[in-house]
Amino acid sequence: MPQVKIIAKNFMDMVASLPAIKLDLLYRNQFICEAILRSLPPLAKKYVLQMLYIDIPITSKSLQEWLLADGSSKHKVAIDRLIQLRVFEVIDRKKETTYKLNSTFQTNLRKHMISGGILPREPMPQSVTARLPTSEELDAYAHEQWECFLLQLTSSGQAEKSTSFSDSMMRIFQRGLLRQRDKEAPRLTESGFQFLLMDTNAQLWYIIREYISNSEEQGVDQADLIAFLLELSFHTPGEAYSLDTLTDDQTTMIKDLADLGLVELQKGRKESWFIPTKLATNLSVSLTDSSSRKQGFVVVETNFRMYAYSSSKLHCEILRLFARVEYQLPNLIVGAITKESLYNAFENGITAEQIVTFLQQNAHPRVAEKLPSVPENVTDQIRLWETDLNRVEMTPAHFYDEFPSRDVFEAASDFARMHNGLLWEDAKKMRMVVKAEIHMLMREHLRGQNK
């Protein structure tokens, strides 16, 4: 069987990238088995559920008999995913490949399907926590925390309240989104500019992925953190859970997650607790799930005028990345997309496609129903202005002249052409320009010609 290449794009891709031993340890937790099952493509779920009580290997031919006539492409995607996550164990035989469910995964999923699972912690009684925030208050808290987090990233100094982020969070900033030189304020990198134009779910996953990678460098096991995050997605939003039920590493992580708005921390007279928000319970949701996308707010007109119906300072800062903001009213940001503002965005590493995608994903409901939601003349012009900057391609090169004879020049020209390194030549004046990558080869060739 060919090896399936793993590229970490969302939560389950990072789970799939874990070593086989750690994956088997994760599958001892019934809730993680359910989270894995939920994340699978529909056809992969069908295979798992049909094989759940089959203890013998199933041949590849037998699996294909469960397919509809047009399901061959979906079959390959399902099989690849199950192998990546080690849910399927591949048994190669001389005649035919067979598949068997991972025994640890199979045993614990059976138990969960029959009796249900019990979380490591139960919600705290209301007699201890008194009044808990309503669903609306919790959503507002999560939104405010996330906005504060992103405003900190833009270095705008406009966060509505002072936020002291943990060292773990600041390391993630410095890791790829911000750069800081001696005695200078932190500045966004190209990745940082691109990050701000992502949708919230993609941003959240990026931060979590970097957080997990960073924690491993601090000596914390990746598998333990992933297991805790998957467990967290099964907690009930708005319920209070005692901090005393957490390990030291989990307590540190909960405090970091509170910076992002995934949980709210509260303290009583004797006990402390955390309250998961919807951001935490959606952690294992696919990035392509459109149900988690927020309502749009941007209207772009054919004359490149832009109106953003928002009171958010963060939205204003994001729009400044590629547009000229002219003025801001209490619930309206007015601006324009100009050649100069776009050139500034392109120089910062933002692409035309990212800008167009952002405008389309955040289109106001009144225009989102139209096709296209952003006028075609605007999107076409954004792409054309980007190509203006890409007309000249910079290639490191070396210039050669003063050849001793025409024979040496022609031999050198043929040598450069043979190595696909000749960029320009003037046969009359015996001059040429070759790629820098073949400069050393050219030197050796010319030395040989001079002997």
Side-chain angles (χ1 to χ4, degrees):
M1 285 291 295
Q3 291 293 316
V4 180
K5 189 176 181 181
I6 298 169
I7 303 173
K9 290 182 179 178
N10 58 29
F11 213 149
M12 292 307 163
D13 288 320
M14 179 161 266
V15 174
S17 69
L18 291 172
I21 296 175
K22 291 187 177 182
L23 264 178
D24 287 339
L25 288 174
L26 281 180
Y27 291 157
R28 293 179 183 177
N29 185 310
Q30 296 177 24
F31 283 98
I32 291 174
C33 293
E34 185 183 347
I36 296 294
L37 181 66
R38 286 181 180 183
S39 75
L40 294 173
L43 189 58
K45 289 179 186 175
K46 173 185 171 68
Y47 290 158
V48 170
L49 293 174
Q50 288 196 221
M51 293 174 63
L52 193 57
Y53 287 91
I54 299 176
D55 294 322
I56 60 173
I58 301 294
T59 64
S60 178
K61 185 178 180 181
S62 298
L63 282 180
Q64 290 176 354
E65 289 175 356
W66 298 345
L67 286 174
L68 296 175
D70 59 347
S72 58
S73 61
K74 294 178 181 178
H75 171 76
K76 185 179 185 308
V77 170
I79 294 296
D80 284 352
R81 194 60 171 160
L82 291 167
I83 293 171
Q84 285 176 354
L85 290 164
R86 276 187 53 80
V87 173
F88 265 13
E89 294 176 352
V90 183
I91 303 171
D92 287 320
R93 293 182 176 173
K94 291 182 180 179
K95 293 184 178 180
E96 191 174 9
T97 299
T98 61
Y99 303 103
K100 185 179 183 300
L101 278 182
N102 180 306
S103 56
T104 307
F105 179 89
Q106 185 179 30
T107 301
N108 285 295
L109 187 59
R110 280 180 186 175
K111 290 178 182 177
H112 189 71
M113 297 286 279
I114 293 171
S115 57
I118 300 174
L119 281 169
R121 59 198 65 84
E122 290 292 326
M124 297 177 69
Q126 286 191 350
S127 58
V128 177
T129 59
R131 181 189 177 277
L132 293 175
T134 64
S135 177
E136 292 75 17
E137 290 172 339
L138 206 57
D139 287 346
Y141 163 81
H143 178 76
E144 183 185 358
Q145 285 293 110
W146 187 252
E147 186 164 304
C148 245
F149 180 78
L150 294 182
L151 276 172
Q152 181 88 4
L153 183 58
T154 62
S155 300
S156 64
Q158 295 190 43
E160 292 182 2
K161 62 179 184 179
S162 59
T163 307
S164 56
F165 290 105
S166 67
D167 291 340
S168 303
M169 288 294 109
M170 291 313 298
R171 275 195 294 269
I172 292 172
F173 280 158
Q174 298 291 346
R175 192 183 182 104
L177 303 179
L178 289 177
R179 64 169 174 263
Q180 184 175 15
R181 294 178 180 174
D182 295 339
K183 298 180 181 180
E184 288 185 5
R187 295 187 62 187
L188 282 168
T189 63
E190 289 188 7
S191 298
F193 282 107
Q194 294 170 11
F195 172 83
L196 287 173
L197 295 188
M198 294 179 183
D199 63 62
T200 302
N201 212 3
Q203 288 174 336
L204 176 61
W205 165 240
Y206 176 90
I207 292 296
I208 293 296
R209 183 186 66 194
E210 292 298 315
Y211 180 86
I212 291 173
S213 301
N214 185 67
S215 63
E216 189 177 37
E217 295 172 6
Q218 308 303 315
V220 181
D221 192 353
Q222 267 194 348
D224 291 342
L225 290 183
I226 290 174
F228 177 62
L229 285 166
L230 287 174
E231 275 184 12
L232 195 60
S233 68
F234 285 93
H235 289 60
T236 306
E239 293 285 355
Y241 298 88
S242 174
L243 289 176
D244 294 337
T245 61
L246 305 178
T247 65
D248 291 342
D249 288 340
Q250 289 172 347
T251 301
T252 301
M253 189 175 196
I254 277 289
K255 291 176 181 177
D256 290 337
L257 294 179
D259 287 344
L260 303 178
L262 273 72
V263 297
E264 182 175 353
L265 297 178
Q266 290 187 347
K267 191 172 184 179
R269 291 181 179 178
K270 295 182 180 179
E271 296 187 63
S272 300
W273 55 85
F274 67 92
I275 306 168
T277 68
K278 288 179 182 177
L279 280 177
T281 55
N282 288 337
L283 269 175
S284 57
V285 174
S286 168
L287 294 181
T288 57
D289 183 7
S290 60
S291 63
S292 62
R293 290 181 184 163
K294 52 184 180 284
Q295 192 178 58
F297 60 96
V298 180
V299 176
V300 180
E301 294 184 334
T302 54
N303 60 0
F304 293 83
R305 298 287 292 172
M306 183 182 66
Y307 302 92
Y309 292 87
S310 172
S311 58
S312 167
K313 292 179 181 177
L314 174 63
H315 287 161
C316 187
E317 290 303 313
I318 291 176
L319 294 174
R320 286 186 199 276
L321 297 178
F322 61 86
R324 185 186 70 218
V325 174
E326 296 175 351
Y327 53 90
Q328 185 175 5
L329 301 175
N331 64 342
L332 177 67
I333 303 166
V334 179
I337 298 173
T338 67
K339 187 176 183 179
E340 292 74 20
S341 66
L342 286 174
Y343 274 15
N344 185 53
F346 299 148
E347 288 173 5
N348 285 323
I350 300 174
T351 66
E353 210 54 48
Q354 287 169 334
I355 294 170
V356 170
T357 301
F358 174 83
L359 293 173
Q360 290 170 340
Q361 289 180 344
N362 291 278
H364 191 279
R366 288 290 180 89
V367 295
E369 298 173 358
K370 300 178 182 179
L371 288 176
S373 56
V374 181
E376 285 186 340
N377 71 304
V378 175
T379 56
D380 289 346
Q381 189 61 62
I382 290 173
R383 294 186 177 105
L384 283 171
W385 277 332
E386 183 183 42
T387 58
D388 283 348
L389 296 178
N390 299 330
R391 287 180 179 176
V392 178
E393 183 179 348
M394 303 293 290
T395 303
H398 288 268
F399 175 74
Y400 292 83
D401 65 348
E402 298 183 1
F403 286 89
S405 68
R406 182 158 295 279
D407 289 340
V408 173
F409 169 77
E410 290 178 353
S413 177
D414 291 340
F415 180 83
R417 193 176 286 109
M418 182 178 67
H419 286 83
N420 197 30
L422 183 64
L423 294 174
W424 173 85
E425 69 173 341
D426 182 348
K428 186 177 180 180
K429 296 183 178 180
M430 292 195 296
R431 299 181 299 181
M432 72 173 66
V433 176
V434 302
K435 293 179 181 177
E437 59 199 55
I438 70 161
H439 174 57
M440 297 307 294
L441 292 174
M442 280 289 290
R443 285 180 60 183
E444 294 299 320
H445 170 77
L446 292 171
R447 283 173 182 169
Q449 293 287 315
N450 293 330
K451 289 180 181 178

